[in-house]
């Protein structure tokens, strides 16, 4: 799930109040997780191109709720693809009455500043620059050379101490060690 201070978190619900039963924070959270999963399934059912995929979905915590669905494609996604999905998904949400309150629906692609979430996104970005933050909090930047079942291969940039020179070394990083990876935009 894309993280934002405006989106639901388990901690937010558990700390906010101590109600029990259907009004308990954990019940509400599970219900919202079920709704988000259903929204994701509905969105996936309306994708008209096999190269398109749902990256994430979220529901904002303030009324009117903001329902966001993020899609991507192996060869990109157009504005028309997003608007067609938005119309179809909106019809389904209204028919099924999944969200009882007023809401706004936003369908789009993840922004350039958003981390890669799915292995499929790594494949799509092979050959591009990538900044990887590892779970041990170290970071590495370089060109994404290969994606395997277990991880990625980068031609990493290393600064030589005392010189302005940058050396390139090929490194493998298992997916299990990646905290987040962001595609580096180059305007060269």
């Amino acid at each position: 799930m894309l993280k934002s201070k405006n989106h639901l978190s388990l901690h937010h619900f558990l700390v906010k109040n101590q109600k029990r039963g259907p009004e308990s924070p954990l019940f509400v959270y599970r219900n919202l997780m079920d709704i988000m999963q259903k929204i994701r399934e509905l969105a996936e059912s309306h994708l008209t191109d096999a190269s398109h995929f749902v990256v994430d979905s979220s529901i904002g915590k303030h009324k009117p709720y903001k329902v966001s669905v993020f899609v991507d494609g192996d060869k990109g996604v157009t504005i028309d693809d997003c608007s067609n999905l938005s119309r179809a998904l909106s019809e389904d949400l209204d028919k099924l009455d999944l969200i009882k309150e007023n809401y706004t629906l936003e369908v789009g692609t993840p922004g350039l500043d958003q981390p890669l979430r799915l292995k499929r996104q790594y494949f799509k970005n092979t050959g591009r620059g990538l900044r990887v933050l590892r779970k041990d909090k170290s970071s590495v930047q370089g060109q994404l050379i290969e994606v395997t079942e277990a991880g990625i291969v980068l031609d990493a940039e290393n600064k030589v101490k005392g010189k302005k020179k940058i050396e390139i070394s090929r490194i493998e990083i298992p997916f299990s060690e990646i905290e987040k990876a962001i595609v580096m935009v180059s305007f060269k």
Side-chain angles (χ1 to χ4, degrees):
M1 179 165 51
L2 297 176
K3 293 181 181 177
S4 165
K5 65 180 180 180
N6 293 324
H7 288 85
L8 300 173
S9 70
L10 179 58
H11 177 66
H12 168 77
F13 279 111
L14 294 177
V15 170
K16 187 164 177 144
N17 61 45
Q18 300 297 319
K19 295 180 182 176
R20 301 204 181 271
E23 292 184 16
S24 76
L26 193 53
F27 181 86
V28 171
Y29 183 77
R30 284 187 180 151
N31 190 33
L32 285 169
M33 294 304 293
D34 291 343
I35 291 170
M36 285 194 304
Q37 179 61 34
K38 182 65 176 173
I39 290 169
R40 184 184 191 100
E41 290 168 5
L42 289 169
E44 288 171 346
S45 75
H46 289 295
L47 295 176
T48 57
D49 186 324
S51 72
H52 293 168
F53 51 94
V54 175
V55 174
D56 202 3
S57 62
S58 64
I59 300 176
K61 65 181 179 181
H62 300 295
K63 294 180 184 180
Y65 296 115
K66 180 179 175 183
V67 177
S68 300
V69 177
F70 300 97
V71 294
D72 205 347
D74 299 327
K75 297 174 185 150
V77 176
T78 67
I79 292 172
D80 288 339
D81 294 329
C82 291
S83 64
N84 291 337
L85 177 57
S86 179
R87 277 191 287 278
L89 190 54
S90 180
E91 286 176 20
D92 281 354
L93 290 175
D94 290 345
K95 267 190 241 177
L96 296 173
D97 200 25
L98 284 178
I99 303 170
K100 307 294 184 201
E101 305 284 335
N102 289 336
Y103 69 91
T104 58
L105 175 63
E106 176 184 274
V107 175
T109 58
L112 291 174
D113 60 337
Q114 293 298 314
L116 302 180
R117 300 202 174 280
L118 305 174
K119 192 181 297 183
R120 200 165 172 180
Q121 291 177 289
Y122 286 91
F123 281 108
K124 174 187 172 186
N125 287 289
T126 300
R128 298 184 75 186
L130 205 64
R131 180 179 301 142
V132 178
L133 176 64
R134 295 180 177 189
K135 290 186 177 173
D136 68 3
K137 302 304 177 201
S138 66
S139 67
V140 62
Q141 185 171 318
Q143 183 180 14
L144 179 59
I145 300 301
E146 183 182 1
V147 181
T148 66
E149 283 300 312
I152 60 173
V153 178
L154 283 182
D155 274 351
E157 301 171 357
N158 302 306
K159 290 184 180 180
V160 178
K161 285 187 178 182
K163 298 181 181 179
K164 293 183 180 181
K165 185 178 178 181
I166 294 178
E167 289 183 351
I168 304 295
S169 61
R170 189 156 287 185
I171 60 169
E172 294 182 28
I173 304 173
F175 286 119
S176 62
E177 291 181 15
I178 298 175
E179 179 76 27
K180 72 177 177 178
I182 297 178
V183 175
M184 302 303 298
V185 180
S186 176
F187 296 102
K188 291 180 182 178

